[in-house]
Amino acid sequence: MRVPALWYLVTKGPDWQDELDELRAEMEEMRDSYLEEDVYQLQELRRELDRANKNCRILQYRLRKAEQKSLKVAQTGQVDGELIRSLEQDLKVAKDVSVRLHHELENVEEKRVKAEDENEVLRQQIIEVEVSKQTLQNELDKLKELAAVAGPALPPP
């Protein structure tokens, strides 16, 4: 019984070590890919956030401008045609920007959910690879123990 186990270890041990090395390389590659994708998505989300902040500042400026015009009308009691047209234009722009920001927010949220889903899949793959690696390492350790117990290698019968 010792001879076949030892012979198996001598013939299959290097293959297992190669497979273990391949799994390690695959795991490192998956981690690198995961991190690169995370960095890219974070940069993209930051750019989108910067655009949304810029649009918000524009809207805040226009709102203050409209409030000043409204205050002027309240103080004077007169409404001139230019003021009305200006307020209508500001309202139209504000609505357009609001709709665009809403769509951008929806798109960013969809991208975030998709990124979280992809990250979860990658995490599961990493766990599976680590489990496979540990299983192979355990089997290799057992075979090494058997080889140590069996003594010197004998050729197969």
Side-chain angles (χ1 to χ4, degrees):
M1 236 194 219
R2 289 183 173 181
V3 173
L6 186 56
W7 176 76
Y8 184 77
L9 176 62
V10 170
T11 58
K12 298 295 182 184
D15 293 338
W16 285 26
Q17 189 63 42
D18 290 343
E19 189 173 341
L20 190 58
D21 292 340
E22 287 176 21
L23 283 171
R24 280 188 184 127
E26 183 180 335
M27 193 167 72
E28 289 174 12
E29 186 178 314
M30 286 175 69
R31 270 198 189 113
D32 291 346
S33 172
Y34 172 75
L35 290 175
E36 287 173 11
E37 183 66 24
D38 258 4
V39 167
Y40 173 77
Q41 289 175 351
L42 180 61
Q43 289 171 343
E44 184 63 30
L45 287 174
R46 283 184 178 158
R47 281 191 289 272
E48 290 180 20
L49 181 60
D50 288 342
R51 283 193 300 268
N53 282 336
K54 180 181 176 183
N55 288 334
C56 284
R57 285 191 304 270
I58 291 169
L59 286 175
Q60 287 173 341
Y61 171 76
R62 289 187 175 165
L63 177 62
R64 281 193 305 271
K65 196 173 169 183
E67 286 172 345
Q68 289 170 353
K69 289 177 184 178
S70 173
L71 186 59
K72 179 183 173 186
V73 168
Q75 288 174 350
T76 63
Q78 290 182 324
V79 179
D80 61 358
E82 180 183 334
L83 179 61
I84 291 176
R85 284 189 297 279
S86 175
L87 289 172
E88 287 173 346
Q89 182 63 27
D90 287 347
L91 181 60
K92 182 179 182 281
V93 169
K95 284 181 181 179
D96 291 343
V97 171
S98 175
V99 168
R100 188 169 22 111
L101 284 175
H102 180 72
H103 290 300
E104 284 183 25
L105 182 61
E106 286 177 346
N107 290 338
V108 168
E109 180 63 18
E110 288 173 9
K111 288 178 183 178
R112 184 192 62 79
V113 168
K114 182 180 176 187
E116 283 181 357
D117 292 344
E118 290 173 357
N119 287 343
E120 185 59 32
V121 168
L122 289 173
R123 282 188 194 102
Q124 290 300 323
Q125 289 175 349
I126 288 173
I127 290 170
E128 290 170 7
V129 167
E130 287 176 349
V131 168
S132 296
K133 177 186 127 190
Q134 187 60 43
T135 302
L136 287 173
Q137 185 65 48
N138 290 343
E139 290 179 19
L140 185 60
D141 291 344
K142 286 179 186 177
L143 287 174
K144 285 181 181 178
E145 287 177 19
L146 282 175
V149 170
L154 298 177

